């Protein structure tokens, strides 16, 4: 079985492992900034890059394993946040795959993927957590969304 860009399964697992490691390391850097984790949403950055560049399989593996392994190894993120991160990561992979299919790897596809994923997650969380928590990403996480959109597009466009 092959993946997008003709990846073999072994290469796909290696790529996923690199993205997972980066997704675990990046939040540690951003948490050195007060409120940096909530503001920059760093655990989703390489999930978006992986999904846009190598397809939904690598993206989904990255989105699932990053918070789980981060919690198992470092107890960060807090266990209570892991289900929410899994939801948002899976939604990001799904919307990124959909946007890539119809818009290619473009700045617009990144905008559509990020905005759609966090809007859908917010709507799903609304009934369980209330409006303040459900739309927190759109209130405090806008710098992170902008970083994801622009950074992912630049990496996928210019890094070979």
């Amino acid at each position: 079985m092959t993946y997008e860009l003709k990846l073999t399964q072994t290469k796909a697992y290696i790529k996923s492992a690199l993205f997972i490691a980066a997704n675990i390391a990046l939040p540690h850097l951003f948490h050195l900034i007060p409120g940096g984790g909530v503001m920059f949403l760093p655990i989703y950055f390489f999930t978006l890059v992986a999904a846009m560049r190598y397809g939904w399989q690598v993206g989904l593996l990255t989105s699932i394993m990053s918070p789980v392994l981060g919690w198992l190894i470092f107890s960060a993120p807090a266990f209570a946040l892991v289900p929410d991160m899994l939801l948002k990561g899976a939604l990001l992979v799904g919307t990124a795959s959909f946007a890539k299919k119809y818009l290619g790897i473009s700045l617009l596809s990144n905008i559509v993927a990020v905005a759609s994923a966090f809007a859908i997650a917010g709507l799903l969380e609304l009934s369980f957590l209330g409006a303040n928590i459900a739309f927190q990403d759109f209130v405090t996480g806008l710098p992170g969304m902008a970083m994801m959109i622009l950074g992912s597009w630049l990496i996928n466009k210019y890094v070979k």
Side-chain angles (χ1 to χ4, degrees):
M1 176 182 219
T2 59
Y3 294 96
E4 293 181 39
L5 297 181
K6 308 294 185 217
L7 286 177
T8 64
Q9 282 185 338
T10 303
K11 286 183 181 178
Y13 287 126
I14 291 169
K15 299 278 186 194
S16 294
L18 293 172
F19 285 123
I20 292 164
N23 253 1
I24 291 172
L26 192 63
H28 286 284
L29 293 174
F30 277 94
H31 281 282
L32 295 174
I33 303 166
V38 176
M39 187 184 323
F40 291 105
L41 309 168
I43 198 161
Y44 305 111
F45 182 79
F46 287 106
T47 297
L48 180 59
V49 174
M52 287 299 240
R53 187 167 193 133
Y54 297 108
W56 70 268
Q57 297 94 339
V58 174
L60 191 59
L61 185 57
T62 302
S63 75
I64 292 170
M65 296 308 294
S66 296
V68 171
L69 287 177
W71 176 74
L72 287 173
I73 297 169
F74 299 107
S75 297
F79 181 72
L81 299 176
V82 171
D84 188 49
M85 290 179 159
L86 292 172
L87 170 70
K88 289 176 183 172
L91 285 169
L92 184 59
V93 169
T95 57
S97 297
F98 184 82
K100 179 183 173 183
K101 180 178 180 179
Y102 292 101
L103 302 170
I105 295 179
S106 65
L107 190 56
L108 180 60
S109 65
N110 283 316
I111 293 168
V112 167
V114 171
S116 300
F118 286 97
I120 293 167
L123 290 172
L124 291 172
E125 294 170 333
L126 189 59
S127 60
F128 300 107
L129 304 173
N132 290 339
I133 299 296
F135 295 107
Q136 170 182 315
D137 293 332
F138 279 106
V139 176
T140 58
L142 285 177
M145 289 183 192
M147 181 186 76
M148 270 189 277
I149 290 165
L150 188 58
S152 173
W153 175 69
L154 288 171
I155 287 172
N156 284 323
K157 183 172 173 92
Y158 295 110
V159 177
K160 298 296 175 198

